[in-house]
Amino acid sequence: MATTQSYYLTTPIYYVNDKPHIGHAYTSLACDALARFLRLDGDDVKFLTGTDEHGQKVEKAAKEAGISAQSFVDKMSQPFRALSPAIGFTNDDFIRTTEARHIAAAQQLWRELRARDQIYLGSYAGWYAVRDETYYAESELIDGAAPTGAPVEWVEEPSYFFRLSRWQDRLLSFYDENPDFIAPATRRNEVISFVRGGLTDLSVSRTSFRWGVPVPDDDAHIMYVWMDALTNYMTAVGYPHTDSSDFKKYWPARLHMVGKDILRFHAVFWPAFLMAAEIDPPKRVFAHGWWTNEGEKISKTVGNVIDPLVLIDTYGLDQLRYFLLREVPFGNDGDFSHQAMVNRMNGDLANDFGNLVQRVLAMIQRYCDGRVPLAGPLEDADEALLRSAQNLITPVRDAFLRQAYHEALDDIWRVVRSANVYIDQQAPWKLQKIDANRAATVLYILAEVIRHLALVIQPVTPTAAGKILDQLAVNLADRTFSRIGPVGALESGTLLPEPSGVFPRFTELSIPSGEGGG
Ligand code: MSP
């Protein structure tokens, strides 16, 4: 088992101009699975999420709703907070950028930068896309719009600038010295070539609206929403109190999880701000891909936005969590389709894993009076399967630490499939009639293998894994990775509760025909 260490990980903070959709749920889920994994592995974890409540986009949405910006954000941040219990996110804090603790932190970072002459007063004349809260150069526009398709408007106003251009070389050597800072590798290359292309100073204040963090010592300006927002990661661990125990323990963050669309802010601007303020930059930024819906780009105008709560109602929570982390190599784009979801749910979960558990527990009830069987001498096949389950944690840990969730699940399912091959080869239902002791040994091995599978799958399918461990009478205190191997082995004779299915099948008479298929 790994030694105890602190691990601080964050989701982006979500704009409150709209309600949560599958994209928000996905970023947070990727963090949640890792946070759960690390806690089970004995680490001291802090997992942060929250809402990004300033800026023109939110102000505009409040105006459209006909209420004050403050009442609007108070109302709209609620569904994001409520997402955690609904999807089983185990965040330790939920930050809102309108909180006093955050405003103080953002202003302090500003003062540090100003004191070091990293910020100067000038004036901005150029394009701005409110939807992206991003400045664009004329040369970046495509048919008069932002490269993202967002409409742009011409902005001309006094503005403070951050001396980003000074940080180009330092950033490039930072990427070079920290090859794991940006993942996946393709994204890393994109960022490096962007920085190599040359950096211009960044406008970091606005004067044409008021909904933001006031710039210290200059009331006419509010901070650019991205500079404000990025600082949240430090606010939540106590900044500006850099002597606080939380700041010392958790900063620099080990991982900022983001979508590919917001990588530049996290991998270029953020480390530059921090280095300029003489604060350690985060250890890693992972940019995941985007989901489409049945092959189509998700958009409000198309009307195909996916509500994660509806998916949970339709397919189940663990099923959704498993699907999102298994269906695409983490980092790539993915397509959500009903057929693909049902295939995973019925194939991997119900047939492969669920059936295995049910068959084994039912046989233990029937042949062993519902008690953990007594194992006799082990044969090679028993040892091999048991060892593969006991050793599973090593590749799974390695994959989680690289955010390669799909690989971790693939490793786990390799053992699920071996267990299915073993049960068919050993045929304990036949053995029972000719050699009850041997049948008991086989069932013991299978129960132990299932215990290991349930332990390592907990971060992804926490409810079902919990139910399986309940059915094996594993105490709550014995569900961490420290119980992997013989040290946590099931005790023969322990009475087990009546088994019940954990991974139901999706049954629907009319799955849309002609879609997906295999
Ligand atoms: N407020 C900024 C982040 C500030 S962090 C200091 C922001 N907010 S957001 O609400 O727009 O963030 C959305 C998150 O959801 C991003 O990580 C984005 O990549 C992700 N997704 C939005 N749509 C998505 C999909 N269709 N698929 C997957 N993720 C998507 O950006």
Side-chain angles (χ1 to χ4, degrees), residues 12-15 21 23-24 27 52 226 233 259 261-262 288 290-291:
I13 47 171
Y14 303 116
Y15 288 128
H21 59 64
H24 305 115
T27 316
D52 189 351
W226 267 101
Y233 301 133
D261 53 319
I262 55 173
H288 66 66
W290 273 45
W291 287 92

Side-chain angles (χ1 to χ4, degrees), residues 427-450:
W429 55 93
K430 284 189 199 152
L431 282 176
Q432 172 62 18
K433 294 180 197 144
I434 48 171
D435 183 351
N437 287 342
R438 178 65 198 148
T441 303
V442 167
L443 290 174
Y444 181 84
I445 294 294
L446 285 163
E448 258 300 272
V449 167
I450 290 170

Side-chain angles (χ1 to χ4, degrees), residues 249-441:
K249 187 158 46 155
Y250 294 120
W251 195 262
R254 290 285 292 275
L255 175 69
H256 294 318
M257 179 67 72
V258 301
K260 62 182 182 178
D261 53 319
I262 55 173
L263 177 59
R264 192 175 291 183
F265 299 94
H266 286 82
V268 181
F269 302 168
W270 183 226
F273 295 161
L274 291 171
M275 291 193 283
E278 296 173 61
I279 299 170
D280 287 336
K283 295 288 184 200
R284 182 169 168 91
V285 179
F286 193 108
H288 66 66
W290 273 45
W291 287 92
T292 48
N293 183 0
E294 305 281 354
E296 268 197 81
K297 193 177 169 225
I298 296 177
S299 95
K300 262 205 286 186
T301 9
V302 177
N304 63 349
V305 176
I306 304 178
D307 181 342
L309 302 180
V310 171
L311 295 185
I312 293 172
D313 278 351
T314 312
Y315 306 107
L317 173 55
D318 281 338
Q319 285 76 3
L320 176 64
R321 291 175 60 109
Y322 176 80
F323 174 84
L324 292 176
L325 294 178
R326 177 64 188 87
E327 185 66 6
V328 290
F330 195 68
N332 292 7
D333 291 337
D335 181 42
F336 186 91
S337 75
H338 172 73
Q339 191 60 61
M341 174 78 224
V342 170
N343 288 347
R344 290 286 175 196
M345 179 172 172
N346 289 353
D348 300 9
L349 294 178
N351 290 350
D352 294 349
F353 195 19
N355 264 349
L356 170 72
V357 174
Q358 222 157 329
R359 287 169 89 189
V360 170
L361 291 175
M363 283 190 275
I364 290 179
Q365 285 295 326
R366 208 167 321 133
Y367 308 149
C368 315
D369 295 329
R371 292 179 185 273
V372 173
L374 182 66
L378 300 192
E379 295 183 1
D380 286 353
D382 310 337
E383 301 259 17
L385 181 66
L386 187 59
R387 216 168 309 119
S388 71
Q390 291 170 338
N391 293 341
L392 190 50
I393 188 67
T394 306
V396 169
R397 178 186 292 121
D398 175 72
F400 266 91
L401 291 176
R402 288 181 291 115
Q403 294 78 51
Y405 305 103
H406 58 291
E407 278 182 37
L409 291 169
D410 221 32
D411 290 331
I412 296 172
W413 253 256
R414 240 194 303 279
V415 176
V416 169
R417 293 201 185 95
S418 309
N420 279 321
V421 170
Y422 172 89
I423 197 171
D424 289 338
Q425 282 174 349
Q426 300 293 328
W429 55 93
K430 284 189 199 152
L431 282 176
Q432 172 62 18
K433 294 180 197 144
I434 48 171
D435 183 351
N437 287 342
R438 178 65 198 148
T441 303

Side-chain angles (χ1 to χ4, degrees), residues 63-139:
K63 263 192 199 126
E64 280 162 15
I67 52 177
S68 74
Q70 187 63 54
S71 343
F72 182 77
V73 299
D74 287 346
K75 174 168 160 243
M76 297 295 282
S77 67
Q78 271 313 316
F80 286 92
R81 197 186 284 274
L83 200 58
S84 292
I87 313 197
F89 297 152
T90 55
N91 51 295
D92 300 287
D93 194 355
F94 184 94
I95 192 166
R96 301 180 53 193
T97 53
T98 49
E99 289 173 55
R101 61 171 172 162
H102 175 69
I103 292 166
Q107 290 183 325
Q108 183 61 25
L109 179 63
W110 181 283
R111 286 194 191 94
E112 298 289 342
L113 293 170
R114 188 91 169 110
R116 288 169 179 77
D117 186 35
Q118 300 288 341
I119 286 179
Y120 63 93
L121 185 60
S123 67
Y124 181 79
W127 298 102
Y128 192 80
V130 175
R131 198 168 88 191
D132 302 342
E133 296 285 19
T134 302
Y135 300 94
Y136 288 105
E138 180 90 36
S139 59

Side-chain angles (χ1 to χ4, degrees), residues 35-46:
R36 286 175 183 265
F37 184 93
L38 295 165
R39 289 190 202 107
L40 290 167
D41 215 15
D43 290 336
D44 175 353
V45 175
K46 185 174 171 88

